């Protein structure tokens, strides 16, 4: 049954618009591809394309037009995503016998897009590079308008999306956006947050940043410019045409991002990329296809291939799991992590939210920011990469925190005078809180900043006091080491600084309020705090207690070469300073409370189950399982806390608790086809489309249904329905690979590498764990 080809997406009709696009990508590039009214079009996105406002800008749109046209009405048409080797194939066969096959693929090891056009008779090709940023656009105030540039929401001054430069250069089209040094979000946020005197010490990723590329076609020459409108967005186009009809046409889009003193320096680097990448295209294609084949061989979950006609829902779960994993693979080597709110595959916003106001917005739009990241959401994109063994793909997320560590430590020292990194929940890529969350002076926000506000804290209630997820990523990095064996020395300063912040910060606050650093029992007092964004003004929130406990225990388990005995002694003492979990009775059952106390409930997360996922204090084979199960069934406070949509983790909680029926039902909802033509374009959910939290939580839950670990033990089929057939290959700690097949309610094949780890396998369909 293990055949990833059965999950290929193939369409036999053209699309109506960009909202019906199909993804393809590689390296750190994503293309939304569709054929509309006989033209092949694709939007181009690249990780890290952040402008002056820290908005993530598309790199334009490319239109391919052929003459004679194989995509005329009545022609046989197909567009297929070939998962196994990571490319798209578009074909057209006319009644007159013209046959055209287009391959669209992106190199994995270089930022280069290739277009290959093969036909059975000579045809002419036109390439149009289309750009809608040829005039400055003032972005009106208002949350919906400025959400692509989150710091600028409620900013009291003008916000302008600046123009790109596009020109012919010989027979090429060269395009780029260079950030203006006098209009950077970095400068505005630094000044707002009272860090201007220290700015010269801070890392600034916006300064002198240029991103763009070059479009070139073999045997093609320039053919002037044009203008047009797509939806309601005007654009200018730069055209290349083939000098003569030919049966094979190759074109390429070369992309480059860099921080350089001058545009000329950037252009030199771009030309160097073009020269290098053009040397051996066939070899690059072979390496790219080999990488994708290894990607699928490394890990897979193929569900119910033989029983699809009986019930397509489990098969659909497996297909959409793999489609989303493919989308994650398209940013394998990005400088920046895959964004939770659309990744590399957003398209025109009016197809996400219909209406005239949305039709006026450009393809650059996405909610919840571009260069800003929401940590609670980001983590759900990266946790599934452990069990899928996609370790190299995790590094962009880890590097995000490593690069910004100095800025986060500096703000801690300036504000409170103690050590440790203070990464807030919503942060810019330079490591500081969003301007919107901090609160702009003289803005029309209901939480605008005044001179009476705490000068060290954000004013936005949802994220105020929320520093939790620097621990989540610290824990993830140590799990990455446990699974892969990779060296994490470069990330140890981030991990230690993240932990130290909470120890020093809450001792500092409690001492200022009570003249004591710890409570009467010698424990930290984690107040004021928050349990996720939901339980506000919380004392000793459960998610934070769980995160500190898990992260400190994990650092103590690192090999001796990472920490000397003095450092370990500190962490053992800190472990003893952590407060305990709080419990409460609900519906006559003992359940985990979200915190020791709180004032208000304003969101819909379930932090009382974070000791189940991700922090592993509760679960199968661990003490108190029934308490955790009762917390799932009875321990929430409002109905909206339970949902399958977006970033809700209900399916993961149920899988971790061994609740197979509930996990399966939630997973069917979670990984069902989305509402758009491409089935893994879920959302917008709480965020934007395609919602990558949605796919990430779906992946995690499905993996946890198949395989869980507890210390050295590996639990198989802990929450897997007996009537779902599956072939799977997943990773476990200590560079262990577990591959198996389930047929007719039995595990019929099992291969464990290395073989000695077979002794640690417990098949929970055959064995019962001790209470």
């Amino acid at each position: 049954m293990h055949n990833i080809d059965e999950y290929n997406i193939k369409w036999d009709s053209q699309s109506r618009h960009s909202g019906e696009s199909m993804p393809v990508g590689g390296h750190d590039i994503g293309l939304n591809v569709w054929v509309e009214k006989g033209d092949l079009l694709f939007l181009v996105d690249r990780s890290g394309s952040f402008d002056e406002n820290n908005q993530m800008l598309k790199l334009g749109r490319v239109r391919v037009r052929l003459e004679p046209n194989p995509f005329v009405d009545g022609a046989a048409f197909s567009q297929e995503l070939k998962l196994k080797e990571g490319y798209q194939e578009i074909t057209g066969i006319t009644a007159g016998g013209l046959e055209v096959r287009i391959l669209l693929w992106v190199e994995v090891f270089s930022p280069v897009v290739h277009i290959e056009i093969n036909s059975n008779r000579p045809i002419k090709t036109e390439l149009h590079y289309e750009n809608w940023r040829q005039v400055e656009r003032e972005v009106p105030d208002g949350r919906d308008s400025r959400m692509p540039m989150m710091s600028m929401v409620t900013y009291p001054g003008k916000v302008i999306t600046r123009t790109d430069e596009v020109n012919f250069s010989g027979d090429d089209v060269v395009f780029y956006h260079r950030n203006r040094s006098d209009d950077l979000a970095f400068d505005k946020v630094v000044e707002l947050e009272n860090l201007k005197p220290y700015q010269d010490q801070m890392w600034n990723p916006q300064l002198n940043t240029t991103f763009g590329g070059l479009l070139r076609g073999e045997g093609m020459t320039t053919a002037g410019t044009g203008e047009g409108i797509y939806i309601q967005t005007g654009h200018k186009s730069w055209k290349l045409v083939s000098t003569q009809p030919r049966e094979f046409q190759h074109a390429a889009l070369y992309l480059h991002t860099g921080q350089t003193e001058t545009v000329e320096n950037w252009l030199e680097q771009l030309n160097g990329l073009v020269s290098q990448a053009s040397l051996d295209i066939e070899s690059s294609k072979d390496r790219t296809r080999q990488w994708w084949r290894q990607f699928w061989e490394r890990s897979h979950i193929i569900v119910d291939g033989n029983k699809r006609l009986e019930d397509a829902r489990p098969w659909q779960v497996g297909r959409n799991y793999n489609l989303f994993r493919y989308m994650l693979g398209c940013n394998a080597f990005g400088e920046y992590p895959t964004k939770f709110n659309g990744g590399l595959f957003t398209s025109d916003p009016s197809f996400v939210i219909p209406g005239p106001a949305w039709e006026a917005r450009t393809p650059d739009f996405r909610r919840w920011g571009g260069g800003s990241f929401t940590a609670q959401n980001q983590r759900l994109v990266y946790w599934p990469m452990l069990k899928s063994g996609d370790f190299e793909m995790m590094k962009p997320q880890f590097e995000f925190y490593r690069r910004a560590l100095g800025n986060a430590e500096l703000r801690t020292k300036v504000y409170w005078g103690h050590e440790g990194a203070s990464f807030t929940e919503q942060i810019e890529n330079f490591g500081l809180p969003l301007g919107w969350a901090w609160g702009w002076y003289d803005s029309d926000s209901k939480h605008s900043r005044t001179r009476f506000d705490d000068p060290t804290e954000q004013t936005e209630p949802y994220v105020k006091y929320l520093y939790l997820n620097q621990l989540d990523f610290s824990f993830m990095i140590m799990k990455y080491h446990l699974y892969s064996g990779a060296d994490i020395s470069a990330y140890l300063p981030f991990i230690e600084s993240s932990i130290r912040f909470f120890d020093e910060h809450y001792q500092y606050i409690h001492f200022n309020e009570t003249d004591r650093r710890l409570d009467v029992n010698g424990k930290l007092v984690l107040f004021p705090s928050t349990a996720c964004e939901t339980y506000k003004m919380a004392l000793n929130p459960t998610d934070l207690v769980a995160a500190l406990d898990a992260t400190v225990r994990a650092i103590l388990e690192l090999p001796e070469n990472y920490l000397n005995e003095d450092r370990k002694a500190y962490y053992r003492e800190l472990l003893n300073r952590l407060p305990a979990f709080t419990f409460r009775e609900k519906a006559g059952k003992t359940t985990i409370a979200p915190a020791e106390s709180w004032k208000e409930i304003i969101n819909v997360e379930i932090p009382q189950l974070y000791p189940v996922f991700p922090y592993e204090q509760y679960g199968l084979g661990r003490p108190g399982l029934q308490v955790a199960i009762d917390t799932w069934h009875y321990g929430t406070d409002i109905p909206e806390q339970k949902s399958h949509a977006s970033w809700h983790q209900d399916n993961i909680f149920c899988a971790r608790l061994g609740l197979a029926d509930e996990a399966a039902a939630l997973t069917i909802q979670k990984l069902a086809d989305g509402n758009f033509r491409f089935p893994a374009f879920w959302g917008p959910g709480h965020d934007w489309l395609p919602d990558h939290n949605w796919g990430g939580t779906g992946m995690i839950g499905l993996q946890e249904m198949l395989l869980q670990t507890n210390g050295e033990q590996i639990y198989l089929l802990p929450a897997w329905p007996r009537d779902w057939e599956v072939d799977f290959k997943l990773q476990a700690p200590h560079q262990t690979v577990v591959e198996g097949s389930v047929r007719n309610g039995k595990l019929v094949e099992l291969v464990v590498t290395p073989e000695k780890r077979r002794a640690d396998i417990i098949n929970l369909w055959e064995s019962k764990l001790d209470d």
Side-chain angles (χ1 to χ4, degrees), residues 618-673:
Y618 289 88
L620 293 171
R622 295 179 171 92
L625 176 61
Q626 191 58 50
V627 171
I629 292 173
D630 288 340
T631 303
W632 162 248
H633 285 142
Y634 309 106
T636 53
D637 291 287
I638 55 176
E640 295 81 2
Q641 285 179 283
K642 291 189 174 182
S643 173
H644 72 277
S646 195
W647 43 250
H648 289 270
Q649 300 154 76
D650 302 26
N651 59 318
I652 306 172
F653 298 145
C654 288
R656 281 269 175 109
L657 296 172
L659 304 175
D661 291 344
E662 291 176 74
L666 285 161
T667 297
I668 284 173
Q669 290 180 289
K670 176 76 80 170
L671 290 176
D673 288 356

Side-chain angles (χ1 to χ4, degrees), residues 46-154:
R46 189 178 184 203
S47 175
S49 300
F50 304 137
D51 75 351
E52 293 91 335
N53 300 313
N54 234 4
Q55 179 173 3
M56 187 170 177
L57 300 183
K58 296 284 185 186
L59 296 181
R61 181 174 53 232
V62 174
R63 183 183 300 264
V64 181
R65 183 171 291 166
L66 305 177
E67 181 60 39
N69 194 333
F71 305 128
V72 295
D73 291 343
F77 172 85
S78 74
Q79 179 180 358
E80 184 173 5
L81 174 60
K82 304 272 195 176
L83 289 171
K84 183 180 289 184
E85 294 184 328
Y87 66 93
Q88 272 193 40
E89 180 182 80
I90 302 104
T91 62
I93 305 175
T94 68
L98 174 64
E99 299 182 14
V100 175
R101 175 174 174 259
I102 301 175
L103 300 185
L104 194 59
W105 58 282
V106 183
E107 292 188 26
V108 166
F109 300 106
S110 296
V112 183
V113 178
H114 293 272
I115 309 164
E116 298 180 16
I117 304 169
N118 296 271
S119 61
N120 65 345
R121 64 184 68 161
I123 60 174
K124 291 194 71 174
T125 300
E126 286 186 19
L127 296 179
H128 299 195
Y129 171 74
E130 299 179 351
N131 185 291
W132 50 88
R133 294 188 298 271
Q134 291 303 293
V135 295
E136 292 189 343
R137 295 176 186 269
E138 183 174 349
V139 184
D141 197 4
R143 178 162 154 165
D144 273 341
S145 299
R146 293 189 182 175
M147 281 196 86
M149 49 200 76
M150 285 295 292
S151 268
M152 298 295 102
V153 173
T154 73

Side-chain angles (χ1 to χ4, degrees), residues 700-758:
I700 298 165
L702 194 66
Q703 293 169 349
E704 296 292 325
M705 291 166 65
L706 280 166
L707 185 149
Q708 296 179 32
T709 62
N710 182 6
E712 298 300 309
Q713 295 179 327
I714 302 170
Y715 301 153
L716 288 189
L717 312 174
W720 194 258
R722 285 187 177 266
D723 59 343
W724 287 17
E725 297 191 347
V726 65
D727 293 338
F728 66 92
K729 186 176 184 180
L730 295 171
Q731 314 288 316
H734 309 305
Q735 303 171 68
T736 302
V737 181
V738 181
E739 188 171 7
S741 297
V742 171
R743 299 289 186 275
N744 300 315
K746 293 183 178 180
L747 181 67
V748 295
E749 292 182 23
L750 180 64
V751 178
V752 183
T753 308
E755 174 65 23
K756 66 180 181 181
R757 289 281 273 149
R758 182 181 284 269

Side-chain angles (χ1 to χ4, degrees), residues 542 592 606-614 628-629 631-632 636 653 657:
T542 292
I592 307 167
I606 312 178
Q608 51 268 55
L609 283 172
Y610 280 38
V612 174
F613 173 81
I629 292 173
T631 303
W632 162 248
T636 53
F653 298 145
L657 296 172

